[in-house]
Amino acid sequence: MVVDGKTSAPRSHSWTQDPEGVKRNILAAAREAFVEHGFAGARVDDIAARTATSKRMIYYYFGDKRGLYVAVLEGAYSGIRGHEQHLDLTMLPPREALARLAGETFDYHANHPEFVRLVMDENIHYARHIEKSERVQAVNLTALSTIRAIYDRGVGDGAFRAGLEPIEIHLTISALSFYNVSNRATIRALFGHDMGSPAALAKRREQVIETVLRFVSP
């Protein structure tokens, strides 16, 4: 089907047989629209045109545009937190565990620029869409508990200095990883440096890990 010069997904009349599939389809289309246009610029009509369902079903499942946007953000945060939980960091010595967490976080941001764009957009709106999301709050608690477990082990065996809070370590890792994606365009325009090239990514990844380990070292 062609709508306004764009090819849309074929409409499905079997949504009642696979409601979870319909919701996944809507969320995938919504994620693309919000990444491309932000919350303010994305239109529910356009999102519906990209799906295999209808605008009516979008409202049925998510209530309104804000509900859909929050669901997309919840999925985005669940993605990165879920990735962290599968790293099995408890089996590694503290310095190796923290190095792996920093490296994997850097990689996740580099491989998921859509996550960075969504977070940037939500910050433009002062986080008013997710500040009341209990799911986002719950999901992100694991980010600090993971770091706390590593850090406490490191302090206990003398690998890390005492006196730091998990949020401080998290902010350092997140900032270094986030900036490498969020500011690629301006850095390239101002300095002619492509932060997204394979060579630049590999070098910066090593620097991020070294910076984090130096930050926590005695």
Side-chain angles (χ1 to χ4, degrees):
M1 179 186 299
V2 177
V3 179
D4 296 332
K6 296 181 180 179
T7 301
S8 65
R11 299 293 183 186
S12 171
H13 298 288
S14 61
W15 62 268
T16 56
Q17 300 174 14
D18 185 18
E20 292 304 314
V22 172
K23 286 195 284 187
R24 287 193 299 270
N25 176 245
I26 292 171
L27 285 171
R31 182 169 55 250
E32 291 179 358
F34 288 131
V35 167
E36 184 177 353
H37 301 292
F39 174 76
R43 297 172 60 248
V44 176
D45 285 332
D46 177 56
I47 293 170
R50 301 181 188 210
T51 71
T53 184
S54 65
K55 182 177 177 180
R56 179 175 65 87
M57 294 311 303
I58 292 177
Y59 288 130
Y60 174 80
Y61 283 117
F62 300 99
D64 54 17
K65 179 180 172 181
R66 179 188 180 280
L68 182 57
Y69 183 61
V70 169
V72 168
L73 288 169
E74 288 173 344
Y77 278 105
S78 293
I80 189 169
R81 300 288 88 91
H83 180 74
E84 292 168 354
Q85 294 304 300
H86 284 89
L87 297 179
D88 199 18
L89 301 174
T90 59
M91 303 301 293
L92 298 174
R95 286 185 65 85
E96 291 182 31
L98 189 59
R100 185 176 184 193
L101 178 62
E104 289 283 346
T105 301
F106 181 86
D107 292 343
Y108 191 93
H109 283 74
N111 294 329
H112 296 83
E114 73 282 358
F115 171 73
V116 174
R117 289 181 65 89
L118 286 168
V119 174
M120 289 171 65
D121 186 65
E122 181 60 359
N123 273 283
I124 290 174
H125 295 286
Y126 301 100
R128 69 170 182 260
H129 300 102
I130 63 169
E131 64 182 357
K132 297 180 180 179
S133 170
E134 293 182 0
R135 182 182 174 192
V136 168
Q137 303 296 327
V139 163
N140 280 284
L141 288 177
T142 63
L144 299 186
S145 62
T146 296
I147 291 176
R148 180 178 295 281
I150 297 171
Y151 177 68
D152 286 348
R153 288 196 292 124
V155 172
D157 67 14
F160 300 153
R161 63 188 173 100
L164 296 175
E165 293 295 329
I167 186 64
E168 296 168 336
I169 301 172
H170 171 73
L171 291 177
T172 300
I173 296 173
S174 181
L176 292 169
S177 301
F178 197 92
Y179 184 91
N180 202 72
V181 179
S182 66
N183 286 54
R184 282 182 187 175
T186 52
I187 294 298
R188 183 170 55 248
L190 294 173
F191 304 110
H193 176 65
D194 183 5
M195 299 166 75
S197 72
L201 283 171
K203 185 174 183 179
R204 187 60 180 159
R205 186 183 195 274
E206 293 179 0
Q207 293 170 340
V208 167
I209 293 173
E210 180 181 3
T211 298
V212 172
L213 291 180
R214 285 179 179 269
F215 177 57
V216 300
S217 293

